[in-house]
Amino acid sequence: MSAAARPAYREVRPGLLIGGLSLLVLILTIVSVITGRGAVTGGLGDLIALWQRDAETAWLIMSQVRVPRTLLALLVGASLGLSGAVLQGLLRNPLAEPALLGASSSAALGAVTVFYFGAGGLSYLLPAGGMAGTLLATALLILLGGRAQDTLTLMLAGVAINALTAALTSLALNFAPSPYAALEIVFWILGSFADRTLDHVFMALPAMIVGWVLLFSVGRPLDALSLGEDTAATLGFDMRWVKLRAVLGTAFCVGAAVAVTGVISFVGLVVPHLIRPLVGYRPGRLLLPSMIGGAALMLAADIGVRMIPTALELKVGVITALIGAPFFLHLLVVLRRTRP
Amino acid sequence: MIHAWTRYVVAALAVLASAAASAAARADQPRRIVSMNLCTDQMALLLVGPERIASISFLGADPAESPLAHLAVGIPINHGLAEEVIAAKPDLVLAGKYTTRFAKAMLTRLGYKVVEIESPETIPGIHATLTSLAAVLGAEARAGELLAQMDRRLATVAAPAGRFGSAIVFDANGFTVGRPGLADEVMTLLGLVNKAPELGIGAYGQVPLETMLAARPDRIINLVYRPGAPSIANAIVNHPALRHGSRSGKTLSVPGRLLTCGTPMIAEAAERLAASLADPAP
């Protein structure tokens, strides 16, 4: 990382950073549970009013609609933030991110195939379909990138994988037996937490936990890798094994996330970037804060789609792209200046 | 033995009578009817024999879409395209009011007789539409029979207003039926108060899950449509909150195809819904 070119943020004590981010997540969780479209639009006041009038319904809305949605946003945000941090460290590329690299859209293709043609909606095979898709795309990317991992090759490979998987997803949806399927491409490419259930949480959680464990296990190797692949090898890290764990971990995290909520881009790009200076540009120490930060950004975006008064609820990917795309362009400009 | 013999004679007489009736049918009756719309498909199949229908829409031949698809076996299908209609050499084209706009315009320009039918949304509307279509097809007697039978069946299941409390339709993507609407007519007839108009829904519209839950309907009605095909849209119908959403904790299911079009098939929807209202089992 070209630390010298960065604005000189002050490194923050890890405990303080993690504590602060956790507090932010806690506040956003509470806001998410009291924010809604429909019965209780006015936030806390409305909710208390409904509670006094009809406690049973208020509890039903909280427990069956708001809580699953909030939990999913937390888990998916955490998984995407963590995957983004690991991918950026692994590929030593600040533009790496599951969605931009095509890992997410490949997961969507896998999940769509299982959902509409296979297991019939709710099933533990759904995350498996997503994982298979991500695994294929990530493996392809690592192969294409070779040892150089230069930005251009990676991003172009990502563009191609994204275009191909989006086309195949659209094709699959148009062949699906359900008359609604063709229109549901919007869900798969922009993502949504609307009206998801606890079933979705339990479907995605086991795979995500496996993914988190795998991704955290590459923390120290990533620090070594920032000194170069050869140096990392001399420090005793088997880089093939490290890469395998990182790719598998990403597949578990992203595959499971996309399978239940669709593709949500840019979370994995923005969050590690904002946090990197605060951890002194150490890839290994970036992981946990990125995970918590990802959860915070995702919750904020999902609160946003419920607060913006559109006739139909926006897809959450609209918000993350509105934040993320300008951020990405800004990064491109910065990179061009620092890496001619 | 004598009994069976009498039955044959009666049957033979009936066949003769109907043959005489159709022979007496006016020469200007359309004999090659092409229908381009799911609802006109159903009305035509109810009113005239399949031998007079030259083609129906692909939806009308699909058992998931039309409750009368079994009557359409063997009738060629079309996809609402002008060239398909022309190839069928129709002497009458039936089309929906709002669909296949360009095909209709072209057929009219080419001199075909095109009759546009708007699917009715109320029971009096069903009477009016079927009667006027029957006049075009020369099937007035059949229409009278169908409507009288529908009225009898509806009268059997009718209940006083509000007898069973409130209800709301909650379908794929959270769509619900307001007023005027066939499901609303059925609900009112069965003594259910439709909650959708209270929630600001016009004839048809989407209602957020949370709003629907907060309205606390006594019954949730699902107009089942292609349940076997998984979709995100249909997932909301199986949302766990719905199991506790209505006070009776029970979602009533009716095949949606019975209420897609305003036809006497509404009586079957009403009977099925009445049966599940009376059924105490969860």
Side-chain angles (χ1 to χ4, degrees):
Chain A
M1 281 302 132
S2 44
R6 306 278 161 163
Y9 288 105
R10 214 151 48 90
E11 193 180 328
V12 179
R13 278 214 331 274
L16 190 67
L17 180 64
I18 289 166
L21 284 170
S22 301
L23 185 67
L24 182 64
V25 166
L26 185 68
I27 293 166
L28 287 167
T29 301
I30 294 165
V31 176
S32 172
V33 172
I34 61 172
T35 308
R37 290 173 73 103
V40 189
T41 47
L44 194 56
D46 254 15
L47 194 67
I48 291 169
L50 179 67
W51 206 281
Q52 285 165 341
R53 200 172 68 241
D54 185 352
E56 202 187 326
T57 302
W59 172 244
L60 181 71
I61 289 175
M62 294 271 285
S63 62
Q64 297 292 336
V65 184
R66 303 275 178 85
V67 167
R69 174 175 201 153
T70 304
L71 280 177
L72 264 187
L74 269 168
L75 295 175
V76 169
S79 296
L80 293 179
L82 179 59
S83 309
V86 168
L87 283 177
Q88 290 178 12
L90 181 75
L91 302 170
R92 279 165 290 155
N93 191 314
L95 299 180
E97 196 254 344
L100 289 176
L101 295 180
S104 300
S105 59
S106 315
L109 177 60
V112 160
T113 312
V114 173
F115 184 82
Y116 293 92
F117 300 96
L122 273 178
S123 148
Y124 284 89
L125 280 176
L126 192 53
M131 282 177 235
T134 309
L135 207 54
L136 252 140
T138 324
L140 189 64
L141 213 64
I142 302 268
L143 283 177
L144 281 172
R147 271 183 77 96
Q149 308 291 9
D150 74 300
T151 308
L152 195 64
T153 314
L154 270 179
M155 296 327 287
L156 289 181
V159 168
I161 292 173
N162 264 326
L164 179 67
T165 49
L168 288 175
T169 304
S170 173
L171 192 67
L173 287 172
N174 277 287
F175 274 117
S178 167
Y180 301 105
L183 295 174
E184 284 170 4
I185 191 154
V186 184
F187 170 86
W188 292 105
I189 63 172
L190 286 172
S192 172
F193 298 106
D195 302 332
R196 306 269 85 189
T197 67
L198 281 177
D199 295 337
H200 294 107
V201 176
F202 295 130
M203 220 157 71
L205 189 60
M208 283 179 174
I209 291 173
V210 175
W212 296 342
V213 170
L214 283 167
L215 291 180
F216 273 112
S217 79
V218 301
R220 280 177 24 84
L222 284 186
D223 281 341
L225 190 61
S226 65
L227 304 169
E229 205 157 318
D230 297 328
T231 318
T234 58
L235 285 171
F237 293 108
D238 178 356
M239 284 325 287
R240 277 181 317 182
W241 174 224
V242 169
K243 277 184 187 175
L244 185 67
R245 275 180 288 162
V247 168
L248 275 176
T250 306
F252 273 90
C253 278
V254 176
V258 171
V260 291
T261 58
V263 174
I264 301 167
S265 21
F266 292 111
V267 175
L269 176 83
V270 174
V271 174
H273 261 286
L274 293 179
I275 293 171
R276 185 168 291 120
L278 306 178
V279 295
Y281 302 95
R282 295 256 314 265
R285 272 177 37 198
L286 185 60
L287 302 191
L288 185 57
S290 289
M291 188 176 176
I292 305 170
L297 178 63
M298 194 59 96
L299 277 172
D302 191 45
I303 292 166
V305 296
R306 282 176 281 171
M307 282 184 161
I308 296 170
T310 46
L312 283 180
E313 191 180 299
L314 282 173
K315 298 287 178 235
V316 71
V318 174
I319 305 270
T320 57
L322 281 176
I323 300 168
F327 191 88
F328 178 78
L329 294 175
H330 162 75
L331 274 178
L332 275 184
V333 175
V334 171
L335 274 182
R336 219 179 40 192
R337 244 190 285 133
T338 56
R339 290 185 174 181
Chain B
M1 194 63 186
I2 290 173
H3 212 74
W5 191 81
T6 329
R7 255 210 324 255
Y8 284 125
V9 171
V10 171
L13 280 174
V15 168
L16 273 177
S18 75
S22 59
R26 296 182 302 269
D28 62 333
Q29 265 186 10
R31 324 214 115 258
R32 292 195 58 80
I33 302 163
V34 170
S35 164
M36 300 167 71
N37 171 278
L38 173 61
C39 295
T40 54
D41 292 343
Q42 294 183 28
M43 292 176 204
L45 286 167
L46 281 170
L47 289 174
V48 302
E51 73 284 350
R52 286 179 58 192
I53 303 175
S55 171
I56 60 164
S57 81
F58 69 105
L59 292 172
D62 183 347
E65 302 283 348
S66 166
L68 300 171
H70 60 281
L71 298 178
V73 177
I75 300 178
I77 59 166
N78 68 69
H79 301 81
L81 301 173
E83 51 185 284
E84 294 172 313
V85 176
I86 294 165
K89 299 195 178 64
D91 52 8
L92 175 68
V93 179
L94 299 178
K97 186 120 188 152
Y98 305 106
T99 50
T100 56
R101 224 170 258 274
F102 296 108
K104 274 188 306 201
M106 178 180 287
L107 291 167
T108 311
R109 215 161 47 234
L110 293 173
Y112 290 93
K113 185 178 177 193
V114 179
V115 174
E116 280 184 17
I117 308 266
E118 186 176 357
S119 176
E121 296 291 347
T122 62
I123 292 165
I126 294 173
H127 273 267
T129 306
L130 207 69
T131 307
S132 65
L133 179 61
V136 178
L137 302 181
E140 292 90 338
R142 175 80 179 130
E145 235 171 75
L146 286 165
L147 291 169
Q149 192 190 39
M150 173 186 82
D151 288 342
R152 267 198 314 277
R153 289 170 71 182
L154 290 176
T156 316
V157 293
R163 160 99 161 70
F164 290 105
S166 61
I168 193 163
V169 170
F170 199 65
D171 279 347
N173 276 328
F175 271 95
T176 189
V177 179
R179 196 167 295 139
L182 293 167
D184 179 73
E185 290 278 292
V186 173
M187 282 189 250
T188 309
L189 185 88
L190 294 181
L192 290 164
V193 177
N194 187 1
K195 280 263 185 189
E198 276 176 43
L199 301 175
I201 301 293
Y204 191 62
Q206 266 174 309
V207 54
L209 178 62
E210 293 187 6
T211 312
M212 195 280 288
L213 293 174
R216 287 300 301 264
D218 293 316
R219 302 273 192 321
I220 295 171
I221 297 172
N222 179 222
L223 305 176
V224 181
Y225 177 62
R226 292 186 186 266
S231 64
I232 311 275
N234 252 328
I236 195 172
V237 173
N238 300 315
H239 197 287
L242 260 62
R243 288 200 275 280
H244 319 281
S246 58
R247 264 167 265 185
S248 71
K250 184 175 140 192
T251 299
L252 310 178
S253 299
V254 189
R257 58 180 181 275
L258 293 173
L259 294 171
T260 313
C261 296
T263 71
M265 298 306 290
I266 194 175
E268 191 177 331
E271 282 168 357
R272 288 201 189 203
L273 204 54
S276 52
L277 269 174
D279 179 15

